[in-house]
Amino acid sequence: MAITVSLVGLFGLVLFFLLRSKTLGWGSAFIAMMFGFFLASTGASGPINQLTHAVIDAIGNL
């Protein structure tokens, strides 16, 4: 679990700087994919799914 959280932090930081410098390409797509993959295996996946469902339900009720 500790390795997964640190990889999420590492890939998130790299993705942040790639997006900030507007350097978008195959490398940043890989970084974004790996960030999402490791983020899904942390405890943050449950709240993220709940938030996504809440937003979708709210949009449907507009």
Side-chain angles (χ1 to χ4, degrees):
M1 179 71 168
I3 293 174
T4 302
V5 173
S6 58
L7 284 175
V8 167
L10 174 68
F11 284 122
L13 188 65
V14 170
L15 181 60
F16 171 77
F17 284 116
L18 285 173
L19 290 173
R20 186 156 168 97
S21 67
K22 297 181 182 167
T23 308
L24 302 173
W26 290 105
S28 58
F30 175 76
I31 294 296
M33 180 189 69
M34 294 304 292
F35 176 69
F37 176 77
F38 284 110
L39 184 63
S41 62
T42 64
S45 64
I48 290 171
N49 285 334
Q50 291 173 354
L51 177 66
T52 304
H53 288 289
V55 168
I56 290 171
D57 289 341
I59 290 172
N61 291 330
L62 289 177

